[in-house]
């Protein structure tokens, strides 16, 4: 049976619409798979370290943390004008800039954790804020970790607004797990960084992302204090999927349908115009 050219075009338009419709879901699944592979590779590399080597790396990180004061940064996403530091780069670095990974079980998040909060870093995972304490715990320390929200390709910290007080999050560093229980959730202006300050004898960590969703004019700060790690505590019910990500999927679906209709209309109109010109020529 001869396939009509119009049928092929229509099939292509349907394919384009479905592709746009499925992009957020498929892309998010792919990136989750990629993250799991990176984390698996990290675990394997850590397992190949000798105990002495791992302890030396942790001691170097603790020494670095002891020299820090409160981070003088204009924003929790600050890249400090692209400034790099050789000592900082070398700490907890397994060779690819990845210092570990951050886990937030209540929103089903596992993200590779890298040095700095450069744009290039935040497109592939979570970034540790240069100037804050490295995420290995300790008295009078405050670690700050940032990640994007609302990327169409990956959820990252999109659901961070669903985290509640009492939930826990974890930093996995060199085979050790550092657990933090959420005790404060704030929405602040980008320049308001006083909540990221070190407090005497306190062991804090803060997860940061942009808010409101899609507007990104403020910062959502989810702070936790250090608690003993308990595997059983991780078996808690998840808070579900953010309405924001569902809205993104709906928008993609509508955009895909509209684009397919518009393209089909333009194609049909062009084809009709060609036929009219042929009739007039005859």
């Amino acid at each position: 049976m001869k396939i009509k050219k119009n049928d092929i075009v229509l099939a292509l338009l349907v394919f384009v619409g479905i592709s746009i419709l499925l992009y957020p879901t498929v892309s998010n699944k792919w990136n989750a798979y990629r993250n799991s592979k990176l984390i698996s590779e990290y675990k394997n590399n850590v397992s190949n370290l000798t105990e002495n080597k791992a302890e030396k790396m942790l001691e170097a990180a603790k020494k670095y943390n002891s020299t820090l004061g409160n981070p003088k940064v204009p924003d929790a996403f600050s890249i400090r004008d692209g400034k790099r530091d050789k000592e900082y780069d070398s700490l907890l670095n397994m060779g690819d800039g990845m210092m570990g990974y951050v886990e937030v079980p209540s929103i089903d998040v596992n993200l590779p954790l890298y040095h700095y909060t450069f744009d290039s870093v935040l497109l592939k995972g979570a970034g540790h804020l240069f100037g804050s304490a490295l995420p290995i715990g300790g008295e009078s320390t405050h670690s700050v970790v940032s990640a994007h929200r609302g990327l169409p390709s990956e959820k990252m910290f999109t659901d961070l607004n669903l985290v509640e007080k009492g939930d826990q999050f974890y930093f996995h560093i060199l085979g050790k797990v550092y657990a933090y229980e959420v005790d404060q959730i704030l929405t602040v202006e980008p320049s308001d960084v006083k909540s990221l300050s070190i407090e005497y004898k306190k062991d804090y960590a803060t997860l940061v992302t942009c808010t409101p969703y899609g507007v990104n004019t403020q910062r959502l700060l989810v702070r936790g204090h250090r608690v003993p790690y308990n595997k059983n505590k991780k078996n808690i019910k998840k808070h579900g999927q953010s309405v924001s990500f569902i809205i993104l999927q709906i928008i993609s679906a509508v955009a895909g349908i509209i684009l397919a209709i518009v393209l089909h209309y333009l194609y049909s109109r062009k084809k009709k115009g060609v036929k009219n010109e042929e009739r007039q020529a005859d």
Side-chain angles (χ1 to χ4, degrees), residues 26-209:
V26 173
S27 181
N28 184 60
K29 292 292 184 184
W30 165 254
N31 281 302
Y33 169 75
R34 178 187 63 86
N35 289 340
S36 69
K37 291 287 289 182
L38 288 170
I39 290 170
S40 179
E41 290 174 9
Y42 173 81
K43 289 179 178 178
N44 184 59
N45 291 336
V46 169
S47 68
N48 290 329
L49 285 177
T50 64
E51 185 176 341
N52 184 51
K53 174 65 174 175
E55 285 302 320
K56 282 185 176 180
M57 291 177 72
L58 287 171
E59 283 302 317
K62 289 176 183 176
K63 183 178 179 181
Y64 174 83
N65 282 352
S66 70
T67 67
L68 298 175
N70 283 317
K72 295 179 176 63
V73 292
D75 182 2
F77 276 90
S78 171
I79 61 174
R80 291 197 170 190
D81 297 323
K83 178 182 177 182
R84 301 189 72 97
D85 182 275
K86 287 185 178 180
E87 180 186 10
Y88 171 72
D89 282 337
S90 68
L91 296 168
L92 304 179
N93 194 333
M94 294 298 295
D96 57 359
M98 186 173 166
M99 64 171 67
Y101 61 100
V102 56
E103 178 185 12
V104 192
S106 61
I107 55 173
D108 198 23
V109 162
N110 276 284
L111 285 177
L113 178 57
Y114 297 93
H115 296 71
Y116 301 105
T117 50
F118 299 145
D119 290 338
S120 58
V121 168
L122 296 178
L123 286 175
K124 61 182 181 179
H128 171 259
L129 182 66
F130 175 46
S132 72
L134 292 163
I136 55 168
E139 287 189 352
S140 304
T141 61
H142 195 156
S143 301
V144 181
V145 169
S146 304
H148 278 317
R149 184 182 188 208
L151 294 181
S153 59
E154 188 174 2
K155 287 203 305 181
M156 293 193 176
F157 276 179
T158 293
D159 293 341
L160 192 62
N161 62 303
L162 300 180
V163 173
E164 301 173 352
K165 289 183 179 180
D167 289 349
Q168 291 189 3
F169 58 89
Y170 309 92
F171 297 125
H172 296 258
I173 310 291
L174 295 179
K176 297 183 182 293
V177 184
Y178 301 88
Y180 290 83
E181 184 173 302
V182 176
D183 56 21
Q184 179 177 271
I185 301 173
L186 297 174
T187 298
V188 301
E189 295 301 315
S191 59
D192 184 358
V193 293
K194 61 179 180 291
S195 299
L196 305 179
S197 297
I198 293 172
E199 292 188 27
Y200 181 63
K201 292 207 173 207
K202 298 291 185 179
D203 187 339
Y204 286 142
T206 296
L207 306 180
V208 182
T209 196

Side-chain angles (χ1 to χ4, degrees), residues 242-282:
S242 171
V243 173
S244 302
F245 195 70
I246 295 173
I247 290 173
L248 179 62
Q249 291 176 309
I250 293 173
I251 291 173
S252 296
V254 172
I257 293 169
I258 291 174
L259 180 60
I261 292 172
V262 170
L263 290 175
H264 185 260
Y265 169 76
L266 292 174
Y267 173 77
S268 300
R269 187 174 178 182
K270 182 179 179 181
K271 187 176 181 182
K272 189 175 181 180
V274 171
K275 285 183 177 180
N276 289 336
E277 289 176 1
E278 290 174 349
R279 288 196 193 100
Q280 290 175 3
D282 294 338

